[in-house]
Amino acid sequence: MPDKNNIEKVNKIDAAIRLTNQAIKMFFHKEDTVSIHLLINAANEILSTILKKKGIKTQLGVNSILIKNEMRKDWIKRRREEYNFFKHANNDADKTLDFNVSFNKFFLLENINFIHLLEIPLSKEMTFFTFWLINQNPNILERSEFLDSELKKLNMSSEELFKLFDEVMESDKTKLNAIKKIFQPV
């Protein structure tokens, strides 16, 4: 008989948000890249399905507006290749994979975008990660009004946040303290 004190009610979106937040924390703490990848993609699978069922188009998800219909199946297969490799061993138990861990950060951004498309407020972890990623990739990513509105929710000016990014890059100890500061409850 299950102990009623150990029962936790969780819906799919809550699970996806928790998986994404945990992946972000693990990412910044440089924890296991395979575990991070699995958390990201488990959340992505949930979010993609919900977006598709709601008829919400995305840039790169299952319901992408950028991918031609005849290429969609192949794109999804390639997008999920590493995730499926780690989930299944029935046909390839003895194989190895050249795992490109650098994609994890962009898959995290995709999850954050999906959560935004579902009109769910972003967590502090998601906002911090997004600004960090933009700061690290200014040649690829652009700030938007949406991100500025999320920054206001943190009660921080963009100057304060980018000053924090500079501090984060100085040393691991500073990085850890800065991240802890952002993740503390308000």
Side-chain angles (χ1 to χ4, degrees):
M1 184 66 110
D3 181 358
K4 290 182 181 180
N5 294 326
N6 292 325
I7 303 298
E8 189 176 344
K9 288 197 183 291
V10 181
N11 67 37
K12 301 283 185 174
I13 291 175
D14 289 339
I17 290 169
R18 289 167 66 173
L19 290 165
T20 300
N21 284 336
Q22 187 61 33
I24 292 168
K25 290 174 186 176
M26 291 172 68
F27 176 86
F28 281 118
H29 288 284
K30 297 185 188 290
E31 293 183 27
D32 182 69
T33 55
V34 172
S35 298
I36 293 166
H37 186 79
L38 290 169
L39 290 173
I40 293 165
N41 281 284
N44 188 280
E45 201 169 312
I46 293 167
L47 295 166
S48 292
T49 302
I50 292 170
L51 286 165
K52 187 175 181 182
K53 286 187 181 284
K54 290 183 177 245
I56 299 172
K57 300 283 186 183
T58 64
Q59 295 293 316
L60 291 174
V62 173
N63 204 17
S64 170
I65 59 175
L66 296 178
I67 299 172
K68 293 181 178 182
N69 283 333
E70 61 269 18
M71 299 302 295
R72 189 173 315 280
K73 210 174 206 178
D74 187 50
W75 184 87
I76 291 167
K77 179 183 172 198
R78 289 178 192 272
R79 165 65 176 83
R80 298 267 188 220
E81 187 175 8
E82 292 169 336
Y83 179 51
N84 287 331
F85 176 86
F86 295 127
K87 282 193 340 180
H88 306 290
N90 52 345
N91 295 327
D92 60 358
D94 58 341
K95 290 194 177 177
T96 59
L97 173 73
D98 291 330
F99 177 42
N100 187 343
V101 299
S102 64
F103 287 119
N104 276 350
K105 60 188 169 199
F106 295 106
F107 295 155
L108 269 169
L109 186 61
E110 183 178 55
N111 283 6
I112 293 167
N113 180 50
F114 289 176
I115 290 165
H116 170 67
L117 289 172
L118 289 167
E119 299 180 358
I120 297 167
L122 298 185
S123 66
K124 289 179 183 178
E125 292 89 344
M126 292 175 201
T127 303
F128 182 85
F129 176 82
T130 303
F131 275 95
W132 174 85
L133 192 61
I134 288 169
N135 192 54
Q136 295 299 303
N137 300 277
N139 56 329
I140 301 172
L141 302 171
E142 229 177 286
R143 283 183 56 179
S144 68
E145 288 178 31
F146 156 71
L147 289 174
D148 288 333
S149 71
E150 290 299 318
L151 186 58
K152 284 179 188 171
K153 292 176 190 173
L154 290 177
N155 295 319
M156 252 184 168
S157 70
S158 58
E159 292 78 25
E160 290 172 310
L161 186 68
F162 285 108
K163 183 179 177 193
L164 181 59
F165 284 136
D166 290 338
E167 291 172 14
V168 165
M169 298 305 138
E170 282 181 27
S171 73
D172 287 343
K173 185 177 179 188
T174 304
K175 179 178 180 178
L176 185 60
N177 290 335
I179 290 167
K180 284 180 182 177
K181 179 181 174 184
I182 288 290
F183 291 166
Q184 288 175 346
V186 181

